Every structure is written in structure tokens, then in C-alpha cells.
């Protein structure tokens, strides 16, 4: 499920391949008024969640910075770090590996 609550795009449930297209499209319709994306109610994720976030971030225009993502599941943060796209998805910037 996805909704706009004031200026926050709130997503709940799963962000996996079966839901990806519907979430992307619904988010694109609601995105114009959003200033943040809240994923704290998201349970299951897979790599398609990264594609959805990237699509939303591209569409937001962002003025040079992505919409901040609040409450991202650990699995999503891990995938974003693996793909080195955290900073493009509104997640924490990618950290350099410690040596």
C-alpha cells in the first residue's frame, strides 16, 4: 500500500517484484507533493525495491538531492550499499570499505 500523508510518501507491506510496477506507478502519481519517503512499515524487500526508489527519485527532480528515505528496512539498505546506489536512493551515503 502507498499513500501521501501530508508531505510524506508512506509505503507499507512488501516491496518485491510482484508489487514493484504497481508501487512505482502509484508513487509516481503521488510524488509531486512529497518531501520524504517513509518505508518504516515495509516488511519484505528485494532488489526491485531499489528500482522503484530510483524511479521515484528520478521523477522527483530533487533539485540536486534525493528525497530522504525514512525507516528503510535493513535488507534494502544492504542492497543499496551492495549496488553502490545509497546516495541516489535517498538512503545513507555509501561508506568506503574500512581497510
Amino acid at each position: 500500500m502507498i499513500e501521501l500523508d501530508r508531505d510524506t510518501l508512506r509505503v507499507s507491506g512488501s516491496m518485491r517484484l510482484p508489487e514493484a510496477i504497481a508501487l512505482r506507478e502509484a508513487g509516481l502519481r503521488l510524488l509531486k507533493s512529497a518531501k520524504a519517503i517513509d518505508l518504516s512499515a515495509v516488511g519484505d524487500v528485494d532488489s526491485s525495491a531499489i528500482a522503484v526508489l530510483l524511479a521515484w527519485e528520478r521523477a522527483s527532480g530533487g533539485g540536486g538531492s534525493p528525497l530522504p528515505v525514512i525507516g528503510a528496512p535493513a535488507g534494502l539498505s544492504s542492497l543499496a550499499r551492495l549496488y553502490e546506489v545509497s546516495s541516489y536512493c535517498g538512503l545513507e551515503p555509501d561508506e568506503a570499505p574500512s581497510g
Side-chain angles (χ1 to χ4, degrees):
M1 183 173 136
I2 188 168
E3 65 182 350
L4 185 64
D5 180 9
R6 298 180 196 209
D7 60 359
T8 301
L9 196 62
R10 297 192 191 282
V11 184
S12 60
S14 293
M15 287 184 79
R16 296 177 35 158
L17 189 56
E19 299 86 24
I21 292 173
L23 280 174
R24 183 191 67 203
E25 296 306 314
L28 290 173
R29 285 192 297 273
L30 298 171
L31 198 59
K32 291 179 184 165
S33 302
K35 302 225 185 302
I37 300 169
D38 183 354
L39 302 180
S40 59
V42 170
D44 297 327
V45 297
D46 64 17
S47 59
S48 65
I50 297 291
V52 171
L53 283 178
L54 288 171
W56 291 345
E57 294 294 354
R58 266 192 312 271
S60 74
S65 62
L67 293 173
V69 174
I70 304 161
L76 180 61
S77 297
S78 294
L79 284 169
R81 281 192 305 276
L82 175 67
Y83 298 141
E84 298 180 349
V85 296
S86 298
S87 58
Y88 301 111
C89 294
L91 300 165
E92 293 298 316
D94 297 317
E95 296 179 11
S98 56

